[in-house]
Amino acid sequence: MDINQRLSDLREVMQREHLAAFIFPSTDPHQSEYVADHWKGREWISGFDGSAGTAVVTMTSAALWTDSRYFLAAEEQLKGTEYQLMRLKIEGTPTIAEWIGRECGAGAEVGIDGWCSSASEVKALVADLRKQGGITLRTNLDPLRLIWSDRPAIPEHSVVVHPLEYAGESAHDKIARIRKALREKHADGMLMSALDDIAWTLNLRGSDVHCNPVFVSYLLISTKEVTLYINKVKLSSEVLAYLKTEGVGVAPYEAVQNGLKDYFEYNILLDPDEVNYTLYKSVVREIVEEESPVKRMKTVKNEREIAGFRAAMLRDGIAMVRFLKWLDSCSLPQTEISVSDKLEAFRAEQPLYNGLSFDTIAGYQAHGAIVHYEATSETDIPLRREGLLLLDSGAQYLDGTTDITRTIALGPLTEEQKRVYTLVLKGHIQIELCKFPSGASGTQIDILAREALWREGLNYLHGTGHGVGSFLNVHEGPHQIRMEWKPAPLVVGMTVTDEPGIYLAGKFGVRIENTLLVTPYKETAFGRFLQFESLTLCPIDTTPVIPEMLLPEETDWLNWYHQHVFDTLSPHLSPDEVDWLRNACKPL
Amino acid sequence: MDINQRLSDLREVMQREHLAAFIFPSTDPHQSEYVADHWKGREWISGFDGSAGTAVVTMTSAALWTDSRYFLAAEEQLKGTEYQLMRLKIEGTPTIAEWIGRECGAGAEVGIDGWCSSASEVKALVADLRKQGGITLRTNLDPLRLIWSDRPAIPEHSVVVHPLEYAGESAHDKIARIRKALREKHADGMLMSALDDIAWTLNLRGSDVHCNPVFVSYLLISTKEVTLYINKVKLSSEVLAYLKTEGVGVAPYEAVQNGLKDYFEYNILLDPDEVNYTLYKSVVREIVEEESPVKRMKTVKNEREIAGFRAAMLRDGIAMVRFLKWLDSCSLPQTEISVSDKLEAFRAEQPLYNGLSFDTIAGYQAHGAIVHYEATSETDIPLRREGLLLLDSGAQYLDGTTDITRTIALGPLTEEQKRVYTLVLKGHIQIELCKFPSGASGTQIDILAREALWREGLNYLHGTGHGVGSFLNVHEGPHQIRMEWKPAPLVVGMTVTDEPGIYLAGKFGVRIENTLLVTPYKETAFGRFLQFESLTLCPIDTTPVIPEMLLPEETDWLNWYHQHVFDTLSPHLSPDEVDWLRNACKPL
């Protein structure tokens, strides 16, 4: 990749258009976290391939902002380019607007593609730039159209119907619920642009985005009509017929802007965090600015979806146990990539398997401290029979999505490794044990995963947990468990991960993750209380645990969990596998 | 009190003015939590005397909204009146706007005194009422001027200088810091109307409000001038001379509105949560709407203030120990009021004593379940040598303000009482033990006080903690420890209470409260970590504790705390008192 040539091509366009800087965010017109190759413009212009980051190029300088998950990876990937790494949330790091102000001076004009940023992001950016001596923002130019000659096309993979057996509620019924929610917000219709929301609403799945079973489209709902804006080549006659019975019309993907202009009702709900700026500005009717009601609907799983999760977790657990047993006794040499491939092969043997839910993170020793490490042929290292392997992985099954992290002792450990492992495990278990009143948000319970770490002066800067889709994206909001305030309360039927970790740069990383389900706990004079049920079925390595650091309730939970894992998985395993599992699940 | 006659007088005014309803909030022109008698209009019109509540009167109905602290008290006090009790945060309770919409119908006009509500409250109310079929709000009428014939005057108590020895920073230096903070917010000046902020800024104290050493006034700061709007009768020649040396001019209290109209700079910072609506609307210059910078400055205590807190806590602890020793062996009959008076007498013996910091809450058995119970001659009950006495009290000393709750076993307890007491104590201790990274807010740590309770299906609806002023108001924000999101982080030098509780209606209440100081803990590669230091010096009753319910770290803390209390207080006590304290502080 010749980043310098690309920068030079870009600057030619910028000069012609009198733009002092151009901003490349990491997303697509649908505000996707992971995007189709067509929209990997930030990666193309900077060489940095993390899922989150913003590149900014001026006539004489370039910089890339990313978060702590990617500090080490970005440093590596930006080497030898003009790009300066800007570490988000670290003291002294300027904001994008501040940096542009310093580099370009007052009165400059800078550019961003209005299709690839949300309305609220662009509005905030406009306000921030204005404070930098009145810098203005142009949004109607995509320089990549001119300079990215071998740019991949927008994907045209075909769409399939997600059976009611797994979805649990028809598209027709979901649309009726959405319309009711819109009426409650005094809105006549809405534009949906989040790809997982559209897939969930219509009970359709695709394969346009790596690991995310979604398809590129928009959905416009009014009181009378529902229109799916999509490239028709993606729709078989079967899917077309299905859409017709569900009351959904079809129009070309590119027609969405005109569809909005023709929208004839009084008002329309747009989620300014979801809808891109260009479409937002195309609306002629009154806009109701609200969070999309679909976000919260989708996160609350129905009975069929929960049953699907349980079935998928059982198969995923079987694959994990077979892998862990193999890893225990496999002959070396093995590398981070070879064990990732092996794990993928075990998962692929399972019924209803439909690929990975994200790229496996297999980080051995110091690589485990790179939070979103993905081994490549350049970074791959051989495993030895010592130290810790951090393994964060998951799969898509037709009936559910999995996300699990285990940190595995491959042999002797240092005292520091055992101590950190046990502290992280304590945090994990405290979330598993937590009971909370209905209405509590993840921010309120987050400390339970961290307090043991904080007492030792340790911390992790990522969230403790995120929602998980039902054969959909592995990251699903708006609820989360994290230090930052997230007002979305935890609701019965939501999935959420529990994944505290600690990362000691240059040494090792530890993370322990299960996917949990929010369930009722008890109802008293003080209201309804909720709890978590662990959906993930896989032993947690106990060999690094320092038992005297655990509270009795923590030891009890660990022993209970292992008995539960053993009882649930063993009927599906061979005698050899059962023997291995019995040992892995033996009480502390 | 003839509430019906007052309602009838009010309705005559409403009819004449064509107002369908009138709203009486609980505050004054300064958004005080506790107000001078002149502004107790809500109490006068409704008969309900709690510190928080809003009365609304229509031509045919009346209702009073208050929070869970006052449900039982309000029920009692509203008996026999037209008022319907509206329980805030309970499912099914309408908002004030919704209720007015139902009672008055579309298109009505309703009234509120624009002097006695903040700008943001009135703006929110206007928006809420508009949604109720376009109900409008009139803000320039105070019907109490017409119907409250024996209304107390605005207080005229004299103001005194708070010595630098206790304040630790001169008014002149504080004003310089405020001006710097204003420049950072791109503001030329500000109007301060919070009485404790004014007292803090000028190092003055007053006695206009029961238990709060503040004085009624406004403070207008511009780049060149500082003007105190106050009734001059309150200022001795000594105070006038002091103000002159600190660079503060004086104008009549009533002149503040004209002062705002004459304010000649480009813009002015107004905190819309603090400044009342009428003054807010009087401003002719551009308004910078921001939180007042004084709020956070005031909460971070300087070294002299912290030294003052320690000294005040020592004297308060001595008074508490003398009282508890007396209570242990006093001869009955005693009542809630008689023991409150006795405690007050012990405090009054202490040097630098300057009255109570709030009305003592002494709730015996079922009365302990009324969160803000204050015994009156009608409700006062005799104590027996059994059950629990909840005692929440505090004092103003010239060098600090105290706030402490102890729940005391007067004799045999039920198993339920012991169990609930121990659960509340666990929550209290978990906050004492907590370590957290710099930047964490009280919302993040709140669960530590509640998790043991939540596991039993118990909860309390008040906050876990609030800031405490330095010879100022016992409630001080913006930081808090509570379930609701409060973005203000905990900062080294802040005081905050730790006061979980459980209230079983008709049975008993338990609350255990110390006042804590935020101090540094450690600095690591993961940043700065903070902790709490308990300032309060008074034994916690261990006779109700079920020892096996405590974690080892909780027992250790309790034993450490009692040793600390004993070591600190005993040099100041008589041999008899030392003997009593030794027994009260003996390890579990």
Side-chain angles (χ1 to χ4, degrees), chain B residues 432-449:
Chain B
E432 296 266 6
L433 290 174
C434 172
K435 318 292 172 191
F436 50 96
S438 179
S441 86
T443 310
Q444 288 174 255
I445 70 169
D446 173 79
I447 191 176
L448 298 180

Side-chain angles (χ1 to χ4, degrees), chain A residues 358-427:
Chain A
F358 57 97
D359 288 320
T360 299
I361 297 168
Y364 179 53
Q365 295 282 61
H367 284 174
I370 307 172
V371 178
H372 270 215
Y373 175 73
E374 191 197 332
T376 65
S377 51
E378 290 83 36
T379 65
D380 198 20
I381 47 171
L383 309 185
R384 298 183 308 276
R385 287 283 168 211
E386 64 173 0
L388 292 172
L389 173 68
L390 188 157
L391 197 65
D392 188 352
S393 68
Q396 296 287 2
Y397 300 93
L398 292 185
D399 50 356
T401 303
T402 66
D403 186 0
I404 173 175
T405 308
R406 291 293 181 265
T407 303
I408 305 145
L410 296 185
L413 302 181
T414 63
E415 275 312 297
E416 186 182 39
Q417 287 176 323
K418 289 182 192 170
R419 195 166 170 76
V420 167
Y421 185 96
T422 308
L423 290 169
V424 171
L425 179 59
K426 284 170 74 75

